[in-house]
């Protein structure tokens, strides 16, 4: 086995262990929080440019400064091989978020069983809609929508791009591991830019255009891969896999985002429920009245989707290592 392959596999598995066991890094040192502050700085500088170049420049300078900081950290950590791989894996783990994705949904489920007002407050942190008067069914729907939409953003996309570049590194025996780390890191920068700026309000319509389109482009293929893994997971869990695929094909394009429906729609189909955002979309058929227990089912579906994708990319990386 090549050294490049072993490093890639070990760092990826270690990063997964870090995320699943410890979750998010403390706020003060979390890369995404630091990226957010960099975005705010450049937003304040470029928002005065009243055209779409403002978003391009904000994106460009945020990537340059963030990657420079990352490079400095990794060069310092390279004084020791063990320190390097630990820091490397920690930063790689910060480019995705499995534990938070799943525990946030589980927390709302628990809140909903105790106090609907508490659940309304909790779900307000996940979705942009007004949650003050949401009924139980709409809280459940919003929770499942948020979790399944973020399957792509929170895990599949950064690891998809990490895998693509990893294969290239294995094929050409490239051991510039810091460059490899830049790939999921830049994806996370793009996704954070979209989350902070990608809106059509009067303030953000110009500066948010480029970040929103870049995020749509980067998620285009991963979102569709994610949707297929949701369907496969539905079959394996004895959910309605056939309906998951049918609703994926029928409803995935109903959302304003070109990508978010590709994981939400098959989830609705798999659970035989409707996911509804008033005035925006209705996904699935109302075969089964949605209730709080559907959150647990959606968590199982999301967990298996992530697990299957992880196994798949580990196998793909290994196959390329063996045939080279």
């Amino acid at each position: 086995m090549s050294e490049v392959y072993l490093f890639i596999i070990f760092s990826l598995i270690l990063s997964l262990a870090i995320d699943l066991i410890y979750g998010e890094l403390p706020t003060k040192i979390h890369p995404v929080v630091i990226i957010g502050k960099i975005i705010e700085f450049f937003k304040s500088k470029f928002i005065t440019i009243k055209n779409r170049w403002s978003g391009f420049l904000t994106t460009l300078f945020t990537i340059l400064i963030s990657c420079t900081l990352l490079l400095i950290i990794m060069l310092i950590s390279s004084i020791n091989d063990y320190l390097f791989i630990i820091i490397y894996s920690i930063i790689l783990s910060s480019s995705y978020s499995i534990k938070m994705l799943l525990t946030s949904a589980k927390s709302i489920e628990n809140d909903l069983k105790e106090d609907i007002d508490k659940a309304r407050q909790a779900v307000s942190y996940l979705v942009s809609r007004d949650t003050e008067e949401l009924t139980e069914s709409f809280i459940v729907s919003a929770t499942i929508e948020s979790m399944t939409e973020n399957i792509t953003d929170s895990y599949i996309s950064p690891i998809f791009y990490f895998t693509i570049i990893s294969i290239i590194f294995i094929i050409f025996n490239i051991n510039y591991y810091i460059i490899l780390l830049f790939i999921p890191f830049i994806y996370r920068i793009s996704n954070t830019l979209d989350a902070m700026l990608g809106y059509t309000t009067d303030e953000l319509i110009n500066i948010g255009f480029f970040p929103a389109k870049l995020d749509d482009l980067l998620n285009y293929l991963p979102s569709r891969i994610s949707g297929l893994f949701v369907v496969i997971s539905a079959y394996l869990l004895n959910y309605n896999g056939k309906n998951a695929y049918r609703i994926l094909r029928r409803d995935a394009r109903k959302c304003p985002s070109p990508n978010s429906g590709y994981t939400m729609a098959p989830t609705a189909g798999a659970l035989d429920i409707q996911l509804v955002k008033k005035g925006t979309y209705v996904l699935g058929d109302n075969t089964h009245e949605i209730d709080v227990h559907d959150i647990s089912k959606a968590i199982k579906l999301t967990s298996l989707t992530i697990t299957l994708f992880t196994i798949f990319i580990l196998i793909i990386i290994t196959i390329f290592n063996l045939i080279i």
Side-chain angles (χ1 to χ4, degrees):
M1 292 186 182
S2 71
E3 178 188 322
V4 175
Y5 167 78
L6 290 174
F7 181 90
I8 288 168
I9 293 295
F10 184 77
S11 62
L12 178 56
I13 292 174
L14 181 57
S15 74
L16 285 165
I18 291 167
D19 179 77
L20 294 172
I21 296 170
Y22 297 103
E24 300 300 309
L25 292 170
T27 301
K28 290 183 178 180
I29 61 170
H30 199 297
V32 174
V33 175
I34 297 170
I35 290 167
K37 292 178 179 179
I38 295 170
I39 292 169
E40 285 289 351
F41 175 80
F42 286 114
K43 173 192 170 186
S44 68
K45 300 299 180 185
F46 294 123
I47 200 167
T48 54
I49 303 173
K50 300 300 182 182
N51 58 54
R52 292 171 178 174
W53 278 100
S54 57
F56 173 78
L57 291 171
T58 301
T59 301
L60 176 63
F61 280 93
T62 298
I63 290 174
L64 288 175
I65 297 301
S66 300
C67 288
T68 299
L69 290 174
L70 175 61
L71 178 61
I72 292 169
I73 291 169
M74 295 315 302
L75 288 176
I76 292 171
S77 68
S78 66
I79 60 172
N80 179 275
D81 290 344
Y82 294 109
L83 178 63
F84 180 84
I85 196 165
I86 290 170
I87 299 298
Y88 191 99
S89 300
I90 289 172
I91 293 176
L92 178 57
S93 76
S94 72
S95 72
Y96 58 84
S97 182
I98 302 171
K99 186 174 183 178
M100 177 176 281
L101 180 69
L102 301 176
T103 57
S104 295
K106 188 64 180 178
S107 177
I108 294 171
E109 179 187 12
N110 293 336
D111 289 343
L112 193 53
K113 291 176 180 178
E114 297 175 7
D115 181 358
I116 193 168
D117 288 326
K118 189 176 179 182
R120 286 173 178 145
Q121 180 66 31
V123 82
S124 70
Y125 298 121
L126 300 181
V127 297
S128 57
R129 69 200 75 172
D130 182 8
T131 63
E132 288 187 5
E133 296 183 2
L134 288 184
T135 62
E136 176 178 317
S137 63
F138 280 109
I139 292 172
V140 172
S141 179
T143 303
I144 294 173
E145 291 165 52
S146 175
M147 176 176 61
T148 56
E149 177 183 2
N150 282 297
I151 291 172
T152 302
D153 294 18
S154 292
Y155 183 68
I156 302 293
S157 281
I159 298 304
F160 171 80
Y161 289 110
F162 179 82
T163 301
I164 295 298
I165 306 304
S166 292
I167 290 170
I168 294 172
F169 272 42
I170 289 170
I171 291 172
F172 295 101
N173 197 32
I174 302 169
N175 61 0
Y176 298 118
Y177 303 123
I178 296 176
I179 296 174
L180 176 58
L181 187 59
F182 281 165
I183 304 307
F185 194 71
I186 289 172
Y187 170 80
R188 182 52 55 207
I189 293 169
S190 169
N191 189 245
T192 307
L193 280 158
D194 178 58
M196 293 179 65
L197 305 179
Y199 302 96
T200 55
T201 62
D202 290 342
E203 179 194 20
L204 300 175
I205 191 166
N206 283 318
I207 198 169
F209 179 83
F210 183 83
K213 294 304 180 184
L214 178 61
D215 189 67
D216 287 346
L217 178 64
L218 292 177
N219 284 319
Y220 187 86
L221 185 55
S223 66
R224 285 147 179 81
I225 293 171
S226 301
L228 292 176
F229 275 97
V230 172
V231 172
I232 295 168
S233 298
Y235 275 108
L236 293 176
L237 288 169
N238 289 320
Y239 294 168
N240 196 338
K242 183 177 180 180
N243 196 45
Y245 182 67
R246 183 177 72 87
I247 300 300
L248 167 64
R249 295 193 63 184
R250 192 190 75 185
D251 292 352
R253 289 182 290 275
K254 288 184 177 180
C255 300
S257 162
N259 301 316
S260 60
Y262 282 85
T263 43
M264 290 194 292
T267 299
L271 303 183
D272 290 312
I273 59 174
Q274 279 189 335
L275 298 176
V276 181
K277 183 177 182 180
K278 289 182 180 179
T280 306
Y281 55 72
V282 177
L283 307 176
D285 300 320
N286 194 21
T287 307
H288 155 70
E289 192 67 32
I290 192 169
D291 63 43
V292 67
H293 302 292
D294 288 312
I295 297 178
S296 285
K297 293 176 71 176
I299 290 172
K300 289 180 181 178
L301 186 62
T302 299
S303 299
L304 185 56
T305 298
I306 290 170
T307 301
L308 289 180
F309 178 75
T310 303
I311 293 170
F312 174 75
I313 61 103
L314 289 173
I315 291 172
I316 291 296
I317 293 172
T318 301
I319 288 172
F320 271 94
N321 177 67
L322 291 174
I323 63 177
I324 297 304

